[in-house]
Amino acid sequence: MINYNVDENGFYGKFGGAYIPEMLYPNVEELRQNYLKIMAEPEFQEELQTLLKDYVGRPTPLYFAKRLSEKYNTNIYLKREDLNHTGAHKINNTVGQVLMAKRLGKKRIIAETGAGQHGVATATVCALMGLECIVYMGEVDIQRQAPNVARMKMLGATVVPATSGSKTLKDATNEAIRDWINNPEDTYYIIGSVVGPHPYPDMVARFQSVISEEIKVQLKEKTGSENPDYVVACVGGGSNAAGAFYHYLDTPEVKLVAVEAAGLGVGSGESAATSVLGREGIIHGSRTLLMQTDDGQVTEPYSISAGLDYPGVGPLHAHLHQSGRAIFESITDDEALQAVLELTRLEGIIPALESAHALAALGRIGAKPDEVIVVNLSGRGDKDLTTYLDRFELHGK
Amino acid sequence: MENRIKTLFEQKPQGLLSVYFTAGYPNLEDTVPIILELEKNGVDLIEVGMPFSDPLADGPTIQQSSEIALRNGMTIPKLFEQLKDIRQYTQIPLVLMGYLNPVMQYGVERFCQKAKEIGIDGIILPDLPLSDYVREYKALFEQNNLSKIFLITPQTPEQRIREIDSHTNGFVYMVSSASVTGSTNGKAVVNTGYFERVGQMGLRNPGMIGFGIHNRDTFSQACNHARGAIIGSAFIKALAQEGSLEQNIQTFIQRIKQEV
């Protein structure tokens, strides 16, 4: 049987590892030696579970989307991560990591953010814990996700624009890593996805695994079986997908569908569909699938969705792709926007652009009338309203 | 033949000056002229940077020079093409420095063979972990007479410094302070405790101090604590000055070496 969990050297199959400059070694090594131990401490778990319940608002509902199900002639459940405090799944991870940072005695928190959901979730827990917070965000993303920038500022975080490269998530991550190199003693880096050097991909997946843990219990209550036929989630770095897949990885009868952003189309040159366009390489300390030139220079990705606009993918997902455990789909900007409108008008839920990519894959799956699909609705669309009003020509109506 | 880095450290006891520049910057074909001009001005060792789109350990100066070099069309095959006859003109020790991904895509084995063929003496890949190097590549580098040079920092524990020292040859690259390249906040030169600590460890390899060394003062202070020092970002800034390449290099190097 294939092992889908990380091995002792930090690899998922041949993907993962910790390809970092020596300057980061002490911090990453400290984390590697301690993260499992700390996560296993009863006091840590108690504090985490209490926060998840009373502060984040977990468990999030598993909602049977009746009208959406009728449309696709199957049974669709939405895991409502959009109902978490701050509006996305990201806070599951930041609550966990901020407690980790406190256990390690760190005083200053840094983070990268794409859509701003991770930045907001980090700024939120830092306000809660009284810690200094610096968030790196691509200049392009600062423009297109303005409401989240405002929220971070309101929460007391410093938002630093990343002005290099494509000025998006990749570049924000570069800047955060450089900050960590410059501040090795007191700073903790809260990575927002299942990317980066080991142990981050595993640690973030564990903090997000609460999603599939709850799905199992809730689905059993609703259908009598804890296993759906499909779990569908969008993948940029892949943290919400990792969380939604986690407790199903070793259950092959549950098909896992990872949905990437095709941007203007996978062949257009303006895309972020890493599983199609990438090959093995190294980005942000991890060996994984990477969009790159023949010479190994990282390609600038494109997606309308800032959270999926990333040229790599977490090493777990690279492994799931290569081993065939997950089905990978790619969805264009237009298809995602169509799915936004569809969910909004059928169910009264405005999804985030990222999550809309997962919804848009429903038409591709070909599920039978008696089958069950769980879509991880990773975030809500408040941050994307300007884009939606523009694209759907709703201004002034 | 003997590795030129080894020979250099055997012959020159103190005050070694190593200079880094990004291949393909300011212009694509400047690589060989810069090397020859640096040698002419008495530089002891040269680190030729292989530009990468996402240089994590570098500050703005090297990031920008890398971006321009890539835009100019610099690639590893192009660099090897430029350097193929370099040993007809100079015997100065040459180190290639870059990030792992472009080397991995070129093929590490092919890269090492080609480097040997040209007469390269050392390789620095900051994001190739020591454990991976020892497990997968050490034999390959040694077969090709290439020194694999590793970085240490003020935060590197003593045991790890010893481990690095045992697997490397050439020199130990002592990162002066916790920072990316090109920082001139002065932390570099006051870190005497760390330099002394490493100095007293009696390592097999000589030490060279780099990161934040940017003028005569910082260079000479670094030389008091190690066999020499490495200048990168400050030199790249000098290349961007008005005037000819030759003039800019001469002015910069003379200023560094004055009265050391």
Side-chain angles (χ1 to χ4, degrees):
Chain A
M1 199 173 122
I2 301 174
N3 176 27
Y4 297 108
N5 287 310
V6 79
D7 71 19
E8 62 203 21
N9 296 315
F11 282 86
Y12 300 87
K14 59 176 175 172
F15 301 109
Y19 296 85
I20 46 168
E22 192 62 30
M23 292 80 106
L24 292 176
Y25 181 84
N27 270 324
V28 171
E29 182 63 11
E30 178 187 34
L31 193 59
R32 189 186 71 80
Q33 285 180 4
N34 290 296
Y35 82 111
L36 291 175
K37 214 163 39 190
I38 291 174
M39 284 175 80
E41 285 169 8
E43 309 80 58
F44 180 90
Q45 276 304 322
E46 200 193 316
E47 203 176 345
L48 176 63
Q49 297 310 328
T50 303
L51 280 171
L52 287 177
K53 178 165 176 280
D54 299 337
Y55 186 72
V56 175
R58 301 204 72 91
T60 57
L62 184 71
Y63 165 68
F64 177 66
K66 186 160 172 287
R67 297 186 70 204
L68 194 65
S69 298
E70 279 164 10
K71 160 124 203 222
Y72 288 97
N73 194 24
T74 186
N75 303 289
I76 300 167
Y77 290 83
L78 303 177
K79 180 58 174 165
R80 297 292 307 275
E81 292 301 298
D82 60 316
L83 293 178
N84 282 322
H85 179 40
T86 71
H89 70 290
K90 291 291 187 188
I91 197 160
N92 302 330
N93 170 46
T94 60
V95 163
Q97 285 205 55
V98 84
L99 295 179
M100 183 70 63
K102 278 182 68 182
R103 293 294 188 288
L104 294 171
K106 307 289 179 174
K107 305 271 180 272
R108 179 176 174 273
I109 301 293
I110 57 171
E112 86 296 337
T113 196
Q117 289 301 133
H118 175 59
V120 168
T122 304
T124 298
V125 297
C126 287
L128 179 68
M129 300 291 170
L131 293 170
E132 185 188 358
C133 178
I134 295 106
V135 179
Y136 291 89
M137 187 169 189
E139 214 168 37
V140 168
D141 294 339
I142 287 179
Q143 299 302 320
R144 60 178 165 174
Q145 306 279 222
N148 277 343
V149 178
R151 291 165 83 196
M152 285 184 267
K153 288 183 177 166
M154 189 68 199
L155 288 158
T158 307
V159 181
V160 182
T163 57
S164 59
S166 52
K167 305 179 175 59
T168 59
L169 178 54
K170 162 182 87 89
D171 313 287
T173 308
N174 288 342
E175 291 307 326
I177 291 174
R178 289 183 186 120
D179 180 307
W180 210 19
I181 289 174
N182 288 330
N183 298 282
E185 309 274 4
D186 62 339
T187 297
Y188 181 95
Y189 179 16
I190 300 190
I191 294 186
S193 193
V194 286
V195 301
H198 178 66
Y200 277 104
D202 183 49
M203 179 171 65
V204 176
R206 285 169 187 264
F207 283 134
Q208 291 293 359
S209 70
V210 64
I211 299 171
S212 49
E213 194 182 312
E214 289 175 7
I215 293 173
K216 283 187 129 177
V217 176
Q218 293 167 321
L219 199 63
K220 175 118 193 191
E221 278 171 13
K222 290 182 194 300
T223 68
S225 166
E226 58 180 28
N227 296 338
D229 296 285
Y230 298 90
V231 179
V232 187
C234 65
V235 173
S239 70
N240 92 77
F245 294 169
Y246 196 86
H247 291 286
Y248 293 115
L249 288 171
D250 296 322
T251 313
E253 56 270 31
V254 179
K255 297 178 206 64
L256 308 175
V257 183
V259 186
E260 294 179 317
L264 302 183
V266 285
S268 68
E270 298 291 332
S271 181
T274 305
S275 73
V276 184
L277 300 169
R279 42 173 224 286
E280 200 180 322
I282 287 166
I283 184 167
H284 298 141
S286 180
R287 185 186 286 246
T288 186
L289 292 174
L290 171 64
M291 289 168 53
Q292 54 184 316
T293 66
D294 291 345
D295 298 311
Q297 307 298 339
V298 181
T299 309
E300 292 180 5
Y302 165 78
S303 165
I304 191 175
S305 146
L308 304 182
D309 197 351
Y310 186 69
V313 65
L316 164 66
H317 296 297
H319 183 47
L320 294 179
H321 178 260
Q322 205 194 32
S323 62
R325 175 67 188 93
I327 304 157
F328 277 69
E329 296 283 352
S330 27
I331 292 296
T332 64
D333 290 357
D334 288 344
E335 290 169 318
L337 284 163
Q338 222 30 64
V340 168
L341 209 51
E342 183 178 273
L343 187 74
T344 305
R345 299 296 165 86
L346 285 177
E347 299 289 349
I349 299 169
I350 305 173
L353 264 172
E354 290 73 21
S355 322
H357 285 72
L359 293 163
L362 283 169
R364 303 261 183 96
I365 289 171
K368 300 186 187 81
D370 61 337
E371 288 188 315
V372 171
I373 303 177
V374 174
V375 180
N376 196 32
L377 193 64
S378 55
R380 60 180 177 241
D382 305 31
K383 70 187 175 61
D384 299 311
L385 283 178
T386 308
T387 307
Y388 295 166
L389 292 175
D390 288 347
R391 290 298 187 112
F392 302 134
E393 297 177 0
L394 290 169
H395 287 291
K397 279 201 177 174
Chain B
M1 74 171 266
E2 184 90 323
N3 184 292
R4 293 176 195 83
I5 299 172
K6 190 163 177 262
T7 310
L8 171 68
F9 282 100
E10 282 164 7
Q11 289 173 351
K12 187 164 174 178
Q14 267 305 324
L16 278 76
L17 173 59
S18 179
V19 169
Y20 169 97
F21 73 96
T22 307
Y25 176 88
N27 299 298
L28 181 61
E29 299 299 338
D30 286 341
T31 314
V32 173
I34 291 175
I35 290 173
L36 297 180
E37 197 60 30
L38 284 171
E39 188 197 25
K40 204 167 97 187
N41 285 279
V43 166
D44 298 296
L45 192 154
I46 299 172
E47 295 168 29
V48 182
M50 302 176 285
F52 181 48
S53 55
D54 294 75
L56 287 181
D58 287 302
T61 304
I62 293 179
Q63 285 175 46
Q64 277 155 23
S65 67
S66 302
E67 213 175 303
I68 292 168
L70 290 173
R71 218 182 300 142
N72 288 342
M74 184 48 72
T75 62
I76 290 176
K78 177 76 195 168
L79 178 61
F80 282 153
E81 174 64 26
Q82 290 176 342
L83 294 179
K84 72 178 184 332
D85 298 323
I86 193 74
R87 287 307 175 203
Q88 293 178 17
Y89 307 108
T90 174
Q91 292 306 314
I92 192 165
L94 289 173
V95 172
L96 297 181
M97 180 166 186
Y99 290 81
L100 180 56
N101 195 54
V103 173
M104 199 172 117
Q105 303 306 323
Y106 186 86
V108 181
E109 188 167 354
R110 188 175 153 222
F111 179 85
C112 288
Q113 285 162 356
K114 196 77 192 171
K116 182 192 179 180
E117 214 175 287
I118 288 168
I120 300 297
D121 304 287
I123 308 287
I124 307 178
L125 298 169
D127 56 346
L128 172 61
L130 180 68
S131 54
D132 275 51
Y133 170 71
V134 172
R135 196 172 53 236
E136 289 179 42
Y137 303 124
K138 190 180 174 190
L140 185 65
F141 277 68
E142 287 178 355
Q143 273 162 33
N144 289 292
N145 197 22
L146 295 167
S147 296
K148 175 68 180 74
I149 291 146
F150 284 94
L151 278 56
I152 63 169
T153 81
Q155 282 75 33
T156 311
E158 177 170 337
Q159 195 195 342
R160 187 163 168 88
I161 294 177
R162 293 205 182 279
E163 202 185 337
I164 285 169
D165 184 49
S166 77
H167 287 297
T168 191
N169 41 32
F171 62 90
V172 171
Y173 193 132
M174 299 166 66
V175 175
S176 60
S177 68
S179 78
V180 294
T181 57
S183 152
T184 50
N185 60 11
K187 276 196 285 183
V189 289
V190 295
N191 225 325
T192 49
Y194 152 62
F195 299 146
E196 278 166 20
R197 178 165 62 85
V198 176
Q200 284 162 5
M201 283 177 65
L203 300 180
R204 293 166 57 231
N205 290 285
M208 293 282 281
I209 295 173
F211 284 43
I213 311 301
H214 61 280
N215 56 18
R216 192 179 65 90
D217 277 358
T218 45
F219 176 66
S220 67
Q221 285 176 52
C223 286
N224 291 335
H225 297 285
R227 293 287 292 279
I230 302 156
I231 299 182
S233 298
F235 177 67
I236 287 167
K237 279 184 196 155
L239 289 178
Q241 300 294 311
E242 273 182 41
S244 71
L245 208 60
E246 290 74 17
Q247 261 170 358
N248 286 339
I249 294 173
Q250 193 183 341
T251 310
F252 182 81
I253 301 299
Q254 295 317 318
R255 222 173 265 165
I256 297 291
K257 289 177 74 87
Q258 229 169 36
E259 299 166 36
V260 171

